[in-house]
Amino acid sequence: MAHVNANFLKLASGYLFPEVARRTRAWQQKNPSFKLLRLGIGNTTEAITPHICEAMHHKVDLLSDRRTYTGYGDEQGDQDLREALCDFYQREYGVRLSVSDFFISDGAKSDAANIQELFSPSSVVAITDPAYPVYVDSNVAGGKSGAYNGVGYDGLLYLPARKEMGFVPEPPKEHADLIYLCSPNNPTGSVATKEDLKAFVDYAIRHRAIIIFDAAYADYIREPRLPHSIYEIEGAERCAIEINSFSKNAGFTGIRLGWSIVPGSLETEDGEAGLLNRLWNRRQSTFFNGASNIAQAGGLAALSLKGRAECRMLVDYYLENARIIKEGLEKIGLVCYGGVNSPYVWAECPNQMRSWDFFDLLLERAHVVVTPGSGFGKEGEGYVRLSSYGHREDITEAVEAIKGAL
Ligand SMILES: *Cc1c(COP(=O)(O)O)cnc(C)c1O
């Protein structure tokens, strides 16, 4: 008889976004004539830009002719895209990496979920609280935690990111083997400074730990002093893996394209530098057959000077939405964080309300859907996340509706 993987049963505690969808659907069924305004899920809404579209159209044309058709590419990704990414890090961040450190994927979520496979199930895993849910769930499914205890999972080390710390966590006092960080942060919108990241890099080197740095929102940073990549911190190439994608800066949420950086210089307890890079290469070549060649043509165009200028305008649009949300809510006295250098506004629930209660109130009174902070971890209780992904007119309407309802 086949037995299921018991680690997956530990996940039964439910998932945030389906519950948001369930309550939203139930409300809409009761109130079919009302328009619902969504500031919830972080899904991009604006069109792919012309230069990037043109490159993908051209790739489709090449595929339509047997003389230029191509099938499977390299599992690690197209060489020209990996080279362009490597040049991009040097050009924009002053970071020197090797082309062989880069792996192209179908998005940062897959990489964030899969990377834990490289590490022993006995690893002590530290995850910030609140956090993007996939870091916790993948480690639970991967057997690196105990059972759900009603607040969190036994065996995981939660690093609180609280208001008094500017929502940037500190390295743990205890020993950890793996540490997940995300900056600019989803859900809090906080951005780690170089000093913040240096504390983690120093910790990781001291403990021979590995940092998994999610930089999906790096392009939202507009203040030059803030680091876009963890490799801007000296020593990070010995202790950090970085993941990123074209989802939030080029609108590739539906197209699917991301990358991971697993430097050949990473060090682990088990062995010589280069082992993690080789194992990730082995993992990707075995379990993954490469990202879509059309998407990769689009990614290459996104890294060109024209593509970068277009992506900047796209990100500017969402940043302006974030500003409108933040300023609108602050006008009615809500305390808000994030929303600059980030597409997310992290708002404190008024009158000590709990996240789901404020969610219900905004749904009932303003017909606006937000994301309850408690869904991202226990430290998110008392907050909601508002996303700037939406058409300008819908964002403005939602903000006005909240202002009118509270
Ligand atoms: C949206 C997002 C990603 C990107 O995921 P893709 O799979 O590349 O679309 C990664 N990390 C965080 C924290 C995100 O919010």
Side-chain angles (χ1 to χ4, degrees):
M1 197 165 106
H3 290 281
V4 300
N5 180 344
N7 291 319
F8 275 76
L9 298 177
K10 294 181 198 161
L11 286 173
S13 61
Y15 186 62
L16 170 64
F17 292 107
E19 178 59 17
V20 169
R22 195 190 64 76
R23 292 195 191 203
T24 307
R25 245 190 340 267
W27 181 87
Q28 187 83 82
Q29 270 161 12
K30 271 197 295 175
N31 305 280
S33 59
F34 286 126
K35 181 180 172 192
L36 204 61
L37 302 161
R38 293 175 193 275
L39 296 178
I41 299 180
N43 199 357
T44 49
T45 55
E46 301 312 299
I48 306 288
T49 56
H51 180 65
I52 298 173
C53 271
E54 199 180 301
M56 289 191 287
H57 277 303
H58 177 63
K59 184 68 190 179
V60 172
D61 289 338
L62 293 177
L63 292 173
S64 72
D65 184 333
R66 70 190 298 190
R67 288 165 302 181
T68 47
Y69 169 84
T70 49
Y72 290 128
D74 296 337
E75 293 92 348
Q76 301 84 351
D78 289 350
Q79 185 68 13
D80 51 358
L81 180 56
R82 298 170 83 199
E83 282 170 10
L85 274 169
C86 195
D87 290 346
F88 165 81
Y89 271 73
Q90 167 87 57
R91 183 175 78 227
E92 296 210 8
Y93 307 152
V95 162
R96 206 179 281 277
L97 292 158
S98 302
V99 175
S100 59
D101 298 340
F102 288 81
F103 296 85
I104 309 302
S105 71
D106 62 354
K109 191 178 193 177
S110 317
D111 289 334
N114 295 334
I115 199 78
Q116 49 82 26
E117 291 176 12
L118 299 186
F119 301 93
S120 157
S122 66
S123 305
V124 177
V125 182
I127 300 175
T128 59
D129 180 6
Y132 183 54
V134 71
Y135 314 144
V136 169
D137 289 355
S138 60
N139 278 289
V140 173
K144 294 181 176 64
S145 80
Y148 188 68
N149 58 33
V151 228
Y153 290 91
D154 291 336
L156 294 184
L157 197 53
Y158 290 95
L159 307 181
R162 302 197 178 108
K163 175 166 63 171
E164 57 272 21
M165 313 152 79
F167 298 102
V168 177
E170 285 163 9
K173 303 273 180 289
E174 305 88 338
H175 172 82
D177 300 304
L178 286 183
I179 304 166
Y180 286 76
L181 295 177
C182 174
S183 176
N185 190 263
N186 180 5
T188 67
S190 65
V191 189
T193 62
K194 283 191 177 157
E195 293 69 36
D196 294 329
L197 293 185
K198 183 170 187 310
F200 276 97
V201 168
D202 291 347
Y203 173 96
I205 289 173
R206 212 162 53 243
H207 288 261
R208 312 206 74 177
I210 297 286
I211 297 168
I212 294 147
F213 187 73
D214 186 338
Y217 299 97
D219 263 357
Y220 287 74
I221 295 176
R222 287 291 185 262
E223 280 172 65
R225 68 184 171 89
L226 293 169
H228 293 73
S229 163
I230 196 158
Y231 303 113
E232 291 175 52
I233 314 302
E234 201 187 321
E237 69 290 346
R238 290 162 54 201
C239 64
I241 288 170
E242 184 162 297
I243 56 180
N244 204 330
S245 94
F246 293 94
S247 281
K248 308 299 168 34
N249 64 348
F252 276 29
T253 41
I255 292 176
R256 313 302 306 139
L257 190 68
W259 70 90
S260 56
I261 304 170
V262 182
S265 47
L266 286 177
E267 294 163 13
T268 61
E269 291 287 354
D270 314 278
E272 75 284 20
L275 182 58
L276 279 174
N277 177 278
R278 280 209 308 284
L279 292 181
W280 186 237
N281 192 30
R282 181 74 167 86
R283 193 262 171 222
Q284 293 300 77
S285 342
T286 310
F287 295 166
F288 183 59
N289 241 340
S292 148
N293 46 18
I294 299 166
Q296 292 190 77
L300 190 61
L303 293 170
S304 69
L305 289 180
K306 236 183 188 163
R308 289 296 293 157
E310 289 182 350
C311 289
R312 192 181 167 92
M313 283 171 63
L314 196 59
V315 169
D316 278 343
Y317 181 90
Y318 294 125
L319 283 171
E320 175 62 10
N321 284 353
R323 191 191 65 73
I324 290 167
I325 296 169
K326 185 174 175 143
E327 289 192 357
L329 299 192
E330 283 175 343
K331 271 215 181 86
I332 53 164
L334 288 180
V335 180
C336 295
Y337 303 91
V340 276
N341 305 302
S342 160
Y344 296 118
V345 175
W346 187 238
E348 226 172 275
C349 304
N351 312 317
Q352 261 105 54
M353 280 179 93
R354 295 172 69 81
S355 299
W356 277 110
D357 294 334
F358 193 44
F359 170 91
D360 287 334
L361 182 142
L362 288 175
L363 183 60
E364 295 283 339
R365 288 211 210 145
H367 315 156
V368 172
V369 184
V370 298
T371 312
S374 57
F376 298 100
K378 90 171 174 19
E379 296 293 338
E381 183 56 85
Y383 295 89
V384 294
R385 188 195 73 174
L386 298 103
S387 155
S388 69
Y389 295 112
H391 302 316
R392 180 70 43 79
E393 58 277 22
D394 296 335
I395 296 282
T396 314
E397 195 181 343
V399 171
E400 289 310 313
I402 296 175
K403 281 161 91 176
L406 292 185

